[in-house]
Amino acid sequence: MHHQWLLLAACFWVIFMFMVASKFITLTFKDPDVYSAKQEFLFLTTMPEVGKLAEEKPFPEELKVTGKVLPDSRLVQPLVYMERLELIRNVCRDEALKNLSHTAVSKFVLDRIFVCDKHKILFCQTPKVGNTQWKKVLIVLNGAFPSIEEIPENVVHDHEKNGLPRLSSFSNAEIQKRLKTYFKFFIVRDPFERLISAFKDKFVHNPRFEPWYRHEIAPGIIRKYRRNRTETRGIQFEDFVRYLGDPNHRWLDLQFGDHIIHWVTYVELCAPCEIKYSVIGHHETLEDDAPYILKEAGIDHLVSYPTIPPGITVYNRTKVEHYFLGISKRDIRRLYARFEGDFKLFGYQKPDFLLN
């Protein structure tokens, strides 16, 4: 009997020690990535003031991944977005690039910025980088439609029906208040690839049936910039490049009016040196950037960014080379000179494979 009691006590002790050890293991190792990531995320996503960021130590080289996201990057991602903002501020301070990086916050800029007062969000429209989908997100947030799937395509760009007010529709005091306090973002992509997309969309396919691009704008560009006057084909990419690279292009832009928004610079559209944006998304990393933007804006529980088809956001160098094939180096260099500010502000590599 004595031995049975000793055996029972020993079993009880083993069970007790196992329970204590199990509890310790659970507390120590349960979801370490989730806990650590959450703590680091809260720390890293607190955006510093503009004046303070320049005094901070530079990020380690292995984390400098402008426009790219490192694998398994829950901890690294916030650094990517902070580094993008730091790059913008550094380029904005470069006096040599001042003419290419600065612009007035004019009515033209304010017309590009859409407002969601309910959730205190400002979105600057940069055409040909997936803006239609972001407009759908804001339309739902503003309450015009209950879901993205229910928004008719013909309503998205109809500003009398889509329920998206522009920042220019407010008084100066209201504009300044929103610029200072709202979450602000816009999306960019490689500048030359964006121009190719604009050319294809407006002059080749024209899926939304906007006949003025082919019947009014294209003939104006051809008359001014086509070298071979006997050529009777419609507008070619070479004509488009020559027009965009002309230092005196503005007189023609005025005739084209607001239709030029599809190929003017990001600087002219959104004034990134004058407006302190909260996040800059990149089209090339939109699969990661879209959820991050929704989370930072505090709306990820209300709406999701529409599904992105596989591979659609990947930079296509072969396509860029194909479109610029046969275009003179002089014309390409003039084009780059106009869009150099966009390349440098947003960390896109200079296309030496086209320029040299």
Side-chain angles (χ1 to χ4, degrees), residues 36-49 53 56-57 59-60 63 73-83 85 89 278-279 292 296:
S36 299
K38 184 175 181 182
Q39 296 300 312
E40 190 73 4
F41 185 86
L42 291 173
F43 171 74
L44 291 173
T45 53
T46 303
M47 290 297 180
E49 295 295 325
L53 188 56
E56 295 179 355
K57 294 180 180 179
F59 297 120
L63 296 182
S73 57
R74 276 183 296 177
L75 299 183
V76 176
Q77 268 194 347
L79 289 176
V80 172
Y81 303 110
M82 290 174 66
E83 193 251 345
L85 296 178
R89 287 188 279 268
S278 310
V279 177
Y292 179 83
E296 287 294 282

Side-chain angles (χ1 to χ4, degrees), residues 5-291:
W5 280 106
L6 287 175
L7 181 61
L8 183 62
C11 291
F12 176 78
W13 178 252
V14 170
I15 293 171
F16 175 75
M17 291 301 294
F18 177 79
M19 291 174 63
V20 171
S22 176
K23 186 67 174 178
F24 175 78
I25 291 171
T26 300
L27 290 173
T28 306
F29 296 106
K30 183 179 181 180
D31 295 332
D33 290 338
V34 174
Y35 179 79
S36 299
K38 184 175 181 182
Q39 296 300 312
E40 190 73 4
F41 185 86
L42 291 173
F43 171 74
L44 291 173
T45 53
T46 303
M47 290 297 180
E49 295 295 325
V50 176
K52 294 180 181 178
L53 188 56
E55 300 171 3
E56 295 179 355
K57 294 180 180 179
F59 297 120
E61 283 300 319
E62 62 269 20
L63 296 182
K64 292 204 169 188
V65 288
T66 303
K68 299 183 183 299
V69 180
L70 294 180
D72 194 20
S73 57
R74 276 183 296 177
L75 299 183
V76 176
Q77 268 194 347
L79 289 176
V80 172
Y81 303 110
M82 290 174 66
E83 193 251 345
R84 290 176 183 174
L85 296 178
E86 182 189 36
L87 174 64
I88 290 173
R89 287 188 279 268
N90 288 338
V91 174
C92 289
R93 296 187 190 104
D94 189 340
E95 289 295 324
L97 293 171
K98 190 170 184 178
N99 290 338
L100 293 169
S101 60
H102 289 263
T103 191
V105 183
S106 61
K107 185 179 182 300
F108 180 81
V109 172
L110 298 176
D111 277 344
R112 311 279 75 78
I113 300 176
F114 295 104
V115 182
C116 176
D117 276 331
K118 185 176 181 179
H119 299 282
K120 296 186 176 181
I121 297 171
L122 299 180
F123 167 62
C124 185
Q125 179 187 24
T126 49
K128 313 322 305 169
V129 293
N131 284 274
T132 297
Q133 307 304 331
W134 284 110
K135 289 171 78 172
K136 289 179 180 179
V137 168
L138 293 184
I139 288 170
V140 171
L141 290 173
N142 277 347
F145 288 88
S147 70
I148 287 176
E149 292 73 24
E150 296 179 58
I151 305 173
E153 287 299 321
N154 64 326
V155 169
V156 178
H157 302 290
D158 187 335
H159 300 295
E160 294 182 359
K161 298 179 180 179
N162 64 17
L164 285 181
R166 298 172 187 261
L167 192 55
S168 58
S169 65
F170 297 89
S171 68
N172 287 335
E174 291 173 324
I175 289 170
Q176 293 306 315
K177 177 183 176 182
R178 286 165 175 77
L179 286 174
K180 289 179 181 178
T181 61
Y182 281 21
F183 177 87
K184 302 172 288 293
F185 77 101
F186 66 96
I187 314 296
V188 297
R189 74 187 293 186
D190 177 86
F192 278 8
E193 195 171 38
R194 172 181 167 241
L195 294 179
I196 292 171
S197 178
F199 177 79
K200 289 169 60 180
D201 183 60
K202 299 307 176 186
F203 298 114
V204 180
H205 303 305
N206 204 242
R208 288 171 52 200
F209 187 64
E210 299 162 310
W212 51 86
Y213 284 100
R214 289 181 181 174
H215 302 318
E216 297 176 25
I217 296 179
I221 294 174
I222 291 172
R223 282 193 299 270
K224 174 68 177 176
Y225 296 102
R226 176 157 294 177
R227 287 177 176 169
N228 184 357
R229 297 298 178 181
T230 63
E231 175 62 67
T232 58
R233 289 184 300 169
I235 187 170
Q236 302 296 298
F237 190 64
E238 182 180 8
D239 307 318
F240 189 57
V241 166
R242 198 168 295 119
Y243 149 62
L244 293 177
D246 182 1
N248 299 313
H249 62 86
R250 292 187 184 279
W251 71 270
L252 201 53
D253 289 350
L254 292 175
Q255 297 178 44
F256 297 157
D258 276 355
H259 300 310
I260 66 168
I261 66 170
H262 296 277
W263 51 76
V264 299
T265 66
Y266 299 129
V267 170
E268 294 169 285
L269 290 168
C270 297
C273 286
E274 285 67 36
I275 297 175
K276 300 173 186 176
Y277 286 92
S278 310
V279 177
I280 305 297
H282 282 227
H283 185 261
E284 294 80 3
T285 54
L286 196 56
E287 290 86 349
D288 297 287
D289 293 4

